[in-house]
Amino acid sequence: MTQVDFYILPEATSDARWLFACRLIDKVQRMGMRVLVAMDTEADARQFDELLWTFKPESFIPHQLINGGKPAPVEITFTADAGDHQGLLLNLSKTTPPYFSRFERLSEVVIQEQQSLQSSRERFSFYKSRGYPIETRKL
């Protein structure tokens, strides 16, 4: 069963959310786990792709948009395509991806912005009502 982790940030900006996501990806990828990042739009996916190249100049995270050629350890999707990933799903979209249950872990990053808090609460309730194990980490 998929382990669900909610990371609660004290900040209220999307930038803080995305930077935390980059740090989480960096850590998890160094541990050898493949990561799929779920985004809402192609524009968001491309912007996050750029951020992964630049957020930490001294590190390199091999990544790409999904179906960008040979599979990469970190891929970014904005469609229902999850490739062959099964490690970590990092959900940066506003909804629950339909393929989430095939992953070992699912991470949600929550910021202190009203709309984001509301959709995060809805996803939390969804996972809880279906019996998924949930960990909440306030940062």
Side-chain angles (χ1 to χ4, degrees), residues 16-26 37 48 52 90 92 109:
R17 184 176 188 227
W18 284 17
L19 284 172
F20 175 81
C22 288
R23 291 191 304 273
L24 181 62
I25 290 167
D26 185 38
V37 182
F48 191 75
L52 278 173
L90 177 53
L92 295 179
V109 182

Side-chain angles (χ1 to χ4, degrees), residues 16-61:
R17 184 176 188 227
W18 284 17
L19 284 172
F20 175 81
C22 288
R23 291 191 304 273
L24 181 62
I25 290 167
D26 185 38
K27 178 181 178 181
V28 170
Q29 192 268 322
R30 281 187 278 120
M31 294 169 40
M33 185 176 276
R34 293 185 68 210
V35 180
L36 180 68
V37 182
M39 306 296 289
D40 286 317
T41 67
E42 182 176 1
D44 285 348
R46 292 191 182 284
Q47 188 176 353
F48 191 75
D49 176 60
E50 281 299 314
L51 182 60
L52 278 173
W53 287 116
T54 60
F55 91 99
K56 191 174 174 185
E58 68 276 7
S59 74
F60 171 70
I61 299 172

Side-chain angles (χ1 to χ4, degrees), residues 3 29 59 68 111 137:
Q3 168 65 45
Q29 192 268 322
S59 74
I111 56 173
R137 295 177 169 88

Side-chain angles (χ1 to χ4, degrees), residues 1 9 22 27 48 59 64 85 89-90 92 97 100 138:
M1 183 169 262
L9 304 182
C22 288
K27 178 181 178 181
F48 191 75
S59 74
Q64 66 183 10
H85 287 269
L89 172 60
L90 177 53
L92 295 179
F100 81 93
K138 290 189 177 188

Side-chain angles (χ1 to χ4, degrees), residues 11-13 110-122:
E11 295 90 1
T13 66
V110 181
I111 56 173
Q112 302 305 306
E113 185 273 322
Q114 196 56 40
Q115 187 175 3
S116 177
L117 285 170
Q118 181 60 37
S119 63
S120 295
R121 287 181 187 118
E122 290 168 7

Side-chain angles (χ1 to χ4, degrees), residues 60-74:
F60 171 70
I61 299 172
H63 70 281
Q64 66 183 10
L65 295 180
I66 200 158
N67 296 325
K70 187 177 179 182
V74 177

